[in-house]
Amino acid sequence: MKMRGAQIFFECLKKEGVEVIFGFPGGAVLDIYHEMPKHNIRHILVRHEQGAAHMADGYARASGRVGVCLVTSGPGATNTVTGVATAYMDSVPMVVFTGQVPTPLIGDDAFQEVDIIGITRPCTKHSYLVRNVNDMSRVIREAFYLARTGRPGPVVVDLPKDVIQASTDFKYPKKVDLPGYRPTVEAHSGQVKRAYEVLRKAKSPLIFAGGGIIISDSSQELIRIADLIQAPVTCSLMGLGCFPAGIADAKGRRRPNPLWLGMVGMHGTYQANMAISQADVIFGVGVRFDDRVTGKISEFAPKAKIIHIDVDPSSISKNVVVDVPIVGDCKNALQQLIRLFEGEPLEGVSDVRRPWFDQINAWKKGHPLTYVQGNELIKPQYVIEKIWELTGGDAIITTEVGQHQMWTAQFFEFDRPRSLLTSGGLGTMGYGFPAAIGAQMAFPDRLVIDIAGDGSIQMNIQELCTAVCNDIPVKVAILNNLYLGLPRQWQELFYEKNYTGSCMEGSPDFVKLAEAYGAIGLRANKPEEVEPVLREAFKIRKPVLMDFLVSREEGVYPIVPPGKSITEMLLA
């Protein structure tokens, strides 16, 4: 049966199980939009194409499925690039369909023509320009396969207008045949055995877990191996939630997990950063040892042998020299390791680890995360702790990027994977709100909260209209200090208090802005108003924007100054 390209587009998406497309129309893709009402795939009309990319990203991170967005050529396509790069840095499976001018006009500087393949090549897992309708179904099949396998990532498919309009017989490939692409999923047993031997001899091991645990759905394996070898666990920002911060006691009451150290790195906990520096074995699982984690690389983990599991071989020894590399899926590698330790358990491991945990507990007790909530000004940490307390931690939290992001990482105790969606690698301001909309689309009945700063939220505030028009009841908690908080803090600490360009006075009245969009706006001026505002917001089945007027010059601590070792923390 012959189909036009626009029809083939939807038949392919149905084969891939796509439920929702985040998009914005334009001339190059109007044939697809003309076809859209005939198919049972929901379309969310965004107000800016960057929002579409972040929504697809949020949908993917929350659900584990591939997120999809559709935009037109030229500026429509380029407006997605920040979202594409954000997804690429954090290994998020996403397929971005872009319209293109007709193939005879490519290269002629036609109206709204841009080389989106060339632009996105450095920040995608792969990019396709479909020049013939006969290739369309194969390309889309490959795009979804590439996006979700191996190290996941975004794939761009550029669709010229004449290809969308052309017809051919529709046939969806049953298999993907990409000779140059063979992700290593099963870890080499010899490499795993080497890791096993190193861990058996360790006196003061530390597990450093990252987003790869969440992507590979291996949280239970991580918990099991940590228990078997009695090793403390720290996470990167992307890994938060992969290991529970709290566990239930015999009476079912939640208490702090004794193996949990909190986040490591620039704004990591004192105990996590010190443990990195004193451990004799660092067991990195699904992490990439980025600079926010390592600090001064020459002084990172000076006493440790390093084991590293990663499905992407190019990540091994990229930033730190690894002693035992394991290329493979985290779940597979951990399962192999668990079998080895279950077959021959460590004898007396609790006694062996006692001096190590005594030291860790001394670090925890000596320098805990803390703040003082007075009677006059709202402390931002207090708002985050109240969100955690009132939700019982059972919410999907997204963040923008800045101080609020770091306070969320420090003071919201994540127990479950896929409960924190944040831009870790690229650090994209404006990510959190559209990502929250995407997550809410994946889980309509869950509570989804974007924790934002007054600077970040204005990057994509227009998507409040998207939430209202589509009845997406996402909540936004703005920690409003009238500053770009992290730049201000850096200016205070490292630039002689020269606050050029970081003051955000002149921002809109966020309550009135919410009302103008048709959402609910709430404000808290004093500490005693925080909890009532949150309770009111959480019971409303509509988009709600909460404006918390917080202490203006509160800082995020600990902080590792740029260029310093992660043990050289400023604690207050």
Side-chain angles (χ1 to χ4, degrees), residues 94-222:
M94 191 163 80
V95 177
V96 179
F97 292 99
T98 55
Q100 185 54 277
V101 301
T103 51
L105 297 181
I106 291 177
D108 287 354
D109 293 336
F111 177 67
Q112 291 194 330
E113 181 195 0
V114 71
D115 177 12
I116 194 63
I117 300 301
I119 290 171
T120 59
R121 184 168 288 128
C123 59
T124 53
K125 195 168 176 184
H126 196 66
S127 300
Y128 290 93
L129 169 61
V130 184
R131 288 183 173 273
N132 191 313
V133 71
N134 294 322
D135 297 329
M136 196 164 166
S137 58
R138 174 187 58 79
V139 165
I140 294 177
R141 177 79 169 89
E142 291 177 1
F144 277 85
Y145 178 75
L146 287 169
R148 65 164 68 96
T149 56
R151 179 180 179 177
V155 177
V156 166
V157 180
D158 203 24
L159 299 170
K161 189 175 178 72
D162 58 324
V163 172
I164 296 171
Q165 293 174 328
S167 298
T168 189
D169 291 324
F170 173 66
K171 184 178 180 181
Y172 202 63
K174 292 181 179 178
K175 294 183 179 179
V176 172
D177 183 21
L178 294 169
Y181 179 72
R182 295 283 190 270
T184 302
V185 174
E186 185 170 345
H188 191 281
S189 59
Q191 292 173 311
V192 174
K193 187 69 184 298
R194 285 183 62 199
Y196 166 75
E197 296 294 346
V198 170
L199 287 169
R200 281 195 73 85
K201 297 174 183 174
K203 302 295 184 190
S204 50
L206 175 68
I207 297 176
F208 172 30
I213 293 287
I214 296 172
I215 292 168
S216 61
D217 189 26
S218 53
S219 288
Q220 291 306 311
E221 285 77 7
L222 176 67

Side-chain angles (χ1 to χ4, degrees), residues 277-497:
S277 71
Q278 295 300 317
D280 63 354
V281 174
I282 304 291
F283 183 19
V285 192
V287 292
R288 58 189 180 90
F289 295 96
D290 74 279
D291 61 298
R292 281 289 178 111
V293 162
T294 62
K296 188 177 182 180
I297 196 78
S298 61
E299 296 180 15
F300 178 75
K303 302 178 180 179
K305 285 189 175 181
I306 296 180
I307 303 166
H308 188 191
I309 302 174
D310 203 297
V311 74
D312 180 1
S314 71
S315 288
I316 304 286
S317 290
K318 182 176 183 179
N319 297 322
V320 300
V321 177
V322 171
D323 298 284
V324 183
I326 302 176
V327 177
D329 178 75
C330 292
K331 193 179 190 78
N332 177 274
L334 288 176
Q335 287 174 340
Q336 290 191 48
L337 204 52
I338 288 168
R339 284 195 290 274
L340 291 172
F341 276 107
E342 286 181 337
E344 191 175 352
L346 292 174
E347 292 183 8
V349 64
S350 296
D351 291 336
V352 172
R353 297 282 185 267
R354 185 165 295 120
W356 181 223
F357 276 99
D358 286 347
Q359 176 62 75
I360 286 171
N361 290 331
W363 286 327
K364 285 183 179 180
K365 186 177 180 181
H367 299 286
L369 294 172
T370 187
Y371 68 96
V372 177
Q373 176 57 71
N375 296 322
E376 298 297 326
L377 298 174
I378 300 171
K379 289 298 181 73
Q381 302 96 322
Y382 177 69
V383 178
I384 292 165
E385 285 195 326
K386 276 296 174 185
I387 293 174
W388 178 82
E389 178 185 320
L390 295 177
T391 62
D394 187 17
I396 297 174
I397 302 296
T398 72
T399 79
E400 310 291 338
V401 168
Q403 285 183 311
H404 62 277
Q405 181 190 31
M406 295 299 112
W407 282 317
T408 301
Q410 293 175 335
F411 289 92
F412 194 100
E413 298 184 23
F414 294 96
D415 291 340
R416 304 172 183 84
R418 301 193 185 279
S419 55
L420 172 64
L421 317 181
T422 191
S423 173
L426 197 63
T428 305
M429 292 176 70
Y431 167 81
F433 181 41
I437 292 174
Q440 190 80 81
M441 288 301 300
F443 294 100
D445 296 326
R446 291 194 64 184
L447 179 59
V448 180
I449 307 165
D450 173 38
I451 298 176
D454 52 305
S456 284
I457 191 62
Q458 295 184 69
M459 290 272 182
N460 273 313
I461 190 69
Q462 76 285 345
E463 301 307 334
L464 195 50
C465 188
T466 304
V468 170
C469 291
N470 290 280
D471 192 24
I472 301 171
V474 65
K475 310 295 184 280
V476 183
I478 301 174
L479 306 181
N480 186 352
N481 61 5
L482 296 177
Y483 273 119
L484 296 174
L486 269 184
R488 188 211 61 77
Q489 184 174 343
W490 277 49
Q491 288 170 327
E492 175 187 332
L493 295 173
F494 313 125
Y495 292 91
E496 301 172 339
K497 298 186 178 181

